[in-house]
Amino acid sequence: PLHITGAGEKTLWLIMGFENATLWFFPKPGTSLWDIAVADAILMAIGGKVTDKDGNNIDYSRSRNNASNDNGIVISSDTDLHSECLRMYLEAGWESDEKT
């Protein structure tokens, strides 16, 4: 795994395929709508997927005052990998660690 700071840089790595990056799994609060909106559109166009940790599409109609992605994000440049990650997460019943 690579340590990359910032949502914009992480999503750029996925879009460009730098260092074979294909998945960003972040199942807890910490990003905002504007952190991932552009990446969502680009990844959708190239066959990727962006959802919350439960597999729901991100709702971009929310107001600026409610722009936090409180249900985490799962972003992948590969829809099959995205689906497999969600399946494993949901089947295992993992919970985010609120302390980190």
Side-chain angles (χ1 to χ4, degrees):
L2 299 170
H3 179 71
I4 305 167
T5 60
E9 187 173 359
K10 286 178 180 82
T11 56
L12 178 62
W13 279 56
L14 293 174
I15 291 165
M16 301 300 294
F18 292 145
E19 299 290 331
N20 296 316
T22 54
L23 177 71
W24 180 22
F25 177 69
F26 193 76
K28 58 187 176 181
T31 64
S32 298
L33 293 177
W34 52 79
D35 289 330
I36 61 168
V38 171
D40 192 350
I42 294 171
L43 284 164
M44 188 183 310
I46 64 172
K49 184 92 173 155
V50 176
T51 66
D52 68 14
K53 69 181 181 184
D54 295 319
N56 301 308
N57 290 328
I58 305 298
D59 177 8
Y60 293 105
S61 68
R62 293 180 286 161
S63 74
R64 288 174 50 158
N65 296 329
N66 187 26
S68 178
N69 293 319
D70 292 332
N71 207 23
I73 55 170
V74 179
I75 302 177
S76 182
S77 57
D78 179 304
T79 56
D80 292 336
L81 178 60
H82 184 277
S83 296
E84 183 65 10
C85 179
L86 280 177
R87 183 193 65 75
M88 291 172 59
Y89 173 75
L90 295 172
E91 283 182 4
W94 297 340
E95 294 294 325
S96 65
D97 181 355
E98 298 299 326
K99 295 177 184 175
T100 60

